[in-house]
């Protein structure tokens, strides 16, 4: 299919990101317009690498993730995103998408964020669309909300916006602004029972969501300032509070969801007691059981060792502030 018979290909890499102030709930699920703004840090050391090849000889799109050809829901979501790119570029050629993560998929280590950031960049480049960072971020958002934050570099804010045109993410500080380390305790490699897409759609069923949303603007201000001023104590307090608020909403939605495992709670307790004893560390948990322990580089070794010794922790991954999604 397609009038242009040439094969066009591009490859992009992207890092996942960890939200310090979480995105939970959409006001428009179709466009993935969030109910609230969010702030995150890209995670250098964890990488998604995605090659997109528009090939006129293909009779359908093809998705190969970590060496396995996928059909099902993940495939449909990628096809829908490719459809958006084809529409923008005015082409109708099918594509082969080959993507690899060097970290476990679907365990709360935001693989959909790096997946849709890399896919957006590779697909638009292969389709010879030359989009600005802002346009790439908006487009990535429509594939997976948090993906819009993996497009710009370093410490990133996703402004809630008024609509599709101004709901995008931008960098608030470059990766080398602050030498934070994310020690990620992998508690389970199982695929999570409730996807974040389902979770977002249930957020408003929790009686706590409205209270959480009312707090977010103030929390964004505190978090942004803590990052810009490199104030770890302030950051730690707001990051843990915000993570607990999101999980309180998740646990009180209909139907309720509990992502935590015993080891998740054990780590939360340990991190709080380390902080009381003067170690700059705090926890935050996405939609899964794994725990991100954010610390300063000077205490990363100690935190890494400490987490590794907790029963139920299968592995500890390490990441530092990461760059923007980029073509390779
Ligand atoms: O982008 P999604 O739909 O995978 O949602 C991400 C939701 C959280 O990871 C739990 C929070 C966030 O802001 O990243």
């Amino acid at each position: 299919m397609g009038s242009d018979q040439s094969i066009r290909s591009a490859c992009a890499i992207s890092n996942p990101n960890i939200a310090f102030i979480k995105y939970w709930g959409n006001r428009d699920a179709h466009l993935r317009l969030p109910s609230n703004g969010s702030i995150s840090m890209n995670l250098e050391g964890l990488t998604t690498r995605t090659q997109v090849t528009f090939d006129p000889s293909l009779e359908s799109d093809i998705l190969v993730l970590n060496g396995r050809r996928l059909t099902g829901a993940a495939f449909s979501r990628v096809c829908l995103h490719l459809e958006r790119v084809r529409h923008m570029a005015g082409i109708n050629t099918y594509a082969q998408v080959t993507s690899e993560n060097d970290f476990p998929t679907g365990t709360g280590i935001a693989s959909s964020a790096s997946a849709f950031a890399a896919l957006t960049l590779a697909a638009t480049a292969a389709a010879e669309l030359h989009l600005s960072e802002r346009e790439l971020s908006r487009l990535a958002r429509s594939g997976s909300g948090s993906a819009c934050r993996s497009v710009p570099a370093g410490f990133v804010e996703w402004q809630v916006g008024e609509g599709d045109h101004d709901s995008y993410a931008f960098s608030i500080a470059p990766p080398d602004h602050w030498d934070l380390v994310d020690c990620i305790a992998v508690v389970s490699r199982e695929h999570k029972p409730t996807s974040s897409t389902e979770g977002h759609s249930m957020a408003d069923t929790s009686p706590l969501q409205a209270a959480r949303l009312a707090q977010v603007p103030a929390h964004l201000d505190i978090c942004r300032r803590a990052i810009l001023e490199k104030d770890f104590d302030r950051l730690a307090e707001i990051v843990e509070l915000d993570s607990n608020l999101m999980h309180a909403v998740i646990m009180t939605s209909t139907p309720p969801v509990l992502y935590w495992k015993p080891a998740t709670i054990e780590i939360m307790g340990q991190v709080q007691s380390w902080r009381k004893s003067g170690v700059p560390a705090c926890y935050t948990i996405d939609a899964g059981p794994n725990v991100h322990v954010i610390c300063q580089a000077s205490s990363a070794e100690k935190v890494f060792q400490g987490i590794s010794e907790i029963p139920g922790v299968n592995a500890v991954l390490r990441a530092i502030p990461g760059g923007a999604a980029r073509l390779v």
Side-chain angles (χ1 to χ4, degrees), residues 17-19 21-24 32 38 77 108 110 112-113 144-147 149 158 192 196-197 200 246 250 285-287:
N17 63 76
I18 178 65
I21 302 295
K22 309 288 188 192
Y23 147 54
W24 198 248
R32 295 183 197 268
S38 51
R77 198 163 158 191
S112 70
S144 173
S146 57
R149 296 189 313 239
W158 174 9
K192 57 196 178 198
S196 45
T197 300
H200 291 301
M246 182 188 76
I250 291 171
I285 305 159
D286 279 345

Side-chain angles (χ1 to χ4, degrees), residues 55-131:
D55 180 345
S57 71
L58 291 175
E59 288 175 3
S60 71
D61 290 322
I62 295 173
L63 171 63
V64 178
L65 175 61
N66 295 330
R68 269 186 50 225
R69 186 162 172 180
L70 293 194
T71 51
F75 173 62
S76 306
R77 198 163 158 191
V78 166
C79 293
L80 185 64
H81 206 59
L82 290 168
E83 215 33 73
R84 293 184 185 108
V85 174
R86 280 190 281 260
H87 179 73
M88 288 172 80
I91 59 172
N92 55 5
T93 316
Y94 289 121
Q96 157 123 17
V97 177
T98 308
S99 189
E100 256 145 50
N101 291 329
D102 65 2
F103 56 95
T105 304
T107 54
I109 307 177
S111 53
S112 70
S114 52
F116 279 91
L119 175 65
T120 301
L121 184 55
T124 55
E128 292 172 6
L129 287 166
H130 302 286
L131 302 188

